[in-house]
Amino acid sequence: MEMIDARRVHELLDYKGLIPALETAHLGGMPKQSDRLIYQEPNPEGQPDIFIILPAWQPQEGILAKLVTSFPNNKARHNLPTVNSVYVFINADTGVTEAVIDGEAMIFRKTSSDSALGSKILSRPDAENMLMIGAGGLAPYLVEAHMAARPSIKSVKIWNRTAANAEALADTLSERGIAAHAVDDLDAAVSQADIISSATMAQTPHIKGKLLKPGAHIDLVGSFTPEMREADDDVLTRASIFVDHRQTTTRSGEFLGPYERGIITPDDVKGDLFELCQGKVPGRQSADEITMMKNGGGSHIDYYVAKYLMDRHYGRTFTTSCAS
């Protein structure tokens, strides 16, 4: 059994290779999955502590188990990251564990490449202005992944509830040669953005659909529980709605409330990444069309990325029988 650390994960999962590999994987079917298991411990100081288990299994190929925790008060209490995880990759022929992989690095690369694939298909090819909402650990990876998918991006604005964190992220990105700066007027930034990526723990929507410019693309990464929401009803009624997988809509607060109130129905979801990559549904239809993709990050994507990582680690050409 090998331990694959964060440095090696980032080295092997460069976006130039990872985004096309993820697109290739979506040309086939899905690995076998079980429903994710979520355990929550109430927290008197705010949002609950969460433990999530996500498994995926492709017979004769690989088994992946992702173990992840989200402890919102970690920073204040222990000066530790909110999200922590490990990935375990198992040989599906023998049941022997082949690798334990740094989970934080995997989550950053997997989640950002999922969003980037959606942007590659749905955003305008000439998109120039990106808005990043949220300045957590995932945010710089989302920015770089979107820029890999859309090299036309020239500037990145950062908004965060805590302004100092937005400034810090802008400084970090600027040091990497990215034209990034923090903003304090979210509504104005939304109205000017060609691509909006939001990765927050918000329970009250902060993206107002009425402000979206024609042709905008919205990438929603947060809202992974029924209580969370990042975009208001106007986003859903103005945008062509896509998801990374249709199962996403069964658990995200982005959809559950609007479904219950009749704002939209499941039929309003035009397609997922499988259907888009396989040409079963059309993506963007015009320059003025507003598109939205909910990044739900199912365990099938974890599996694809882990399999790509293992193949690169061992010097093999990336293959998955899911895509055969």
Side-chain angles (χ1 to χ4, degrees):
M1 179 180 70
E2 293 200 49
M3 303 291 294
I4 302 180
D5 63 14
R7 181 197 61 79
R8 184 66 170 158
V9 170
H10 290 306
E11 176 186 338
L12 295 175
L13 298 184
D14 58 285
Y15 295 116
K16 184 178 180 180
L18 179 55
I19 296 171
L22 198 55
E23 186 170 12
T24 296
H26 279 87
L27 296 177
M30 292 182 65
K32 296 180 179 179
Q33 302 177 81
S34 295
D35 289 339
R36 66 179 182 175
L37 302 176
I38 303 179
Y39 302 93
Q40 299 191 44
E41 185 67 23
N43 193 324
E45 299 178 37
Q47 295 171 335
D49 296 333
I50 302 173
F51 175 44
I52 305 173
I53 305 171
L54 296 98
W57 184 331
Q58 184 61 25
Q60 287 77 57
E61 186 176 278
I63 301 170
L64 181 71
K66 174 184 175 183
L67 311 178
V68 57
T69 59
S70 176
F71 280 48
N73 295 313
N74 261 6
K75 185 67 175 178
R77 290 177 179 172
H78 311 294
N79 196 31
L80 291 171
T82 297
V83 177
N84 292 274
S85 75
V86 294
Y87 284 60
V88 180
F89 196 88
I90 300 168
N91 185 299
D93 269 336
T94 65
V96 174
T97 299
E98 293 186 342
V100 176
I101 308 165
D102 184 273
E104 180 181 65
M106 282 288 289
I107 287 174
F108 288 160
R109 290 286 170 173
K110 163 256 182 173
T111 304
S112 56
S113 62
D114 186 10
S115 288
L117 178 56
S119 183
K120 177 182 177 182
I121 299 170
L122 296 171
S123 67
R124 285 178 51 147
D126 61 351
E128 295 185 350
N129 302 305
M130 179 180 175
L131 169 63
M132 183 69 235
I133 301 176
L138 177 60
Y141 296 94
L142 283 165
V143 171
E144 292 192 357
H146 276 285
M147 294 186 73
R150 283 287 176 252
S152 56
I153 294 174
K154 294 181 178 178
S155 68
V156 180
K157 295 178 180 178
I158 314 292
W159 182 90
N160 190 69
R161 185 176 57 182
T162 303
N165 293 343
E167 293 282 359
L169 176 57
D171 290 343
T172 297
L173 294 174
S174 295
E175 290 171 0
R176 300 176 188 175
I178 296 172
H181 64 278
V183 296
D184 55 16
D185 188 337
L186 177 59
D187 287 353
V190 166
S191 69
Q192 297 164 8
D194 298 313
I195 295 175
I196 300 171
S197 182
S198 183
T200 72
M201 302 283 282
Q203 295 187 328
T204 301
H206 46 247
I207 302 174
K208 299 174 183 176
K210 67 181 181 181
L211 300 177
L212 296 172
K213 66 185 293 187
H217 173 67
I218 304 94
D219 165 42
L220 301 179
V221 185
S223 60
F224 56 86
T225 73
E227 297 76 27
M228 295 179 180
R229 188 136 184 232
E230 299 187 293
D232 69 9
D233 289 349
D234 288 338
V235 173
L236 299 178
T237 56
R238 289 194 68 194
S240 297
I241 303 170
F242 298 87
V243 293
D244 56 2
H245 186 252
R246 287 188 179 273
Q247 189 177 358
T248 295
T249 64
T250 67
R251 57 178 181 255
S252 171
E254 221 65 66
F255 298 101
L256 296 181
Y259 284 166
E260 291 174 359
R261 292 181 285 109
I263 302 300
I264 58 170
T265 73
D267 290 339
D268 290 310
V269 177
K270 294 184 178 294
D272 64 16
L273 286 179
F274 286 101
E275 295 164 315
L276 286 166
C277 289
Q278 295 173 23
K280 294 180 178 179
V281 299
R284 171 176 294 275
Q285 296 294 288
S286 72
D288 288 342
E289 182 180 9
I290 296 171
T291 57
M292 182 201 101
M293 191 187 89
K294 176 69 189 84
N295 180 333
S299 61
H300 62 294
I301 301 176
D302 290 292
Y303 179 83
Y304 298 148
V305 174
K307 181 60 169 58
Y308 176 71
L309 175 81
M310 296 297 290
D311 284 346
R312 288 212 68 192
H313 181 66
Y314 287 111
R316 303 183 299 238
T317 300
F318 171 60
T319 60
T320 171
S321 55
C322 303
S324 61

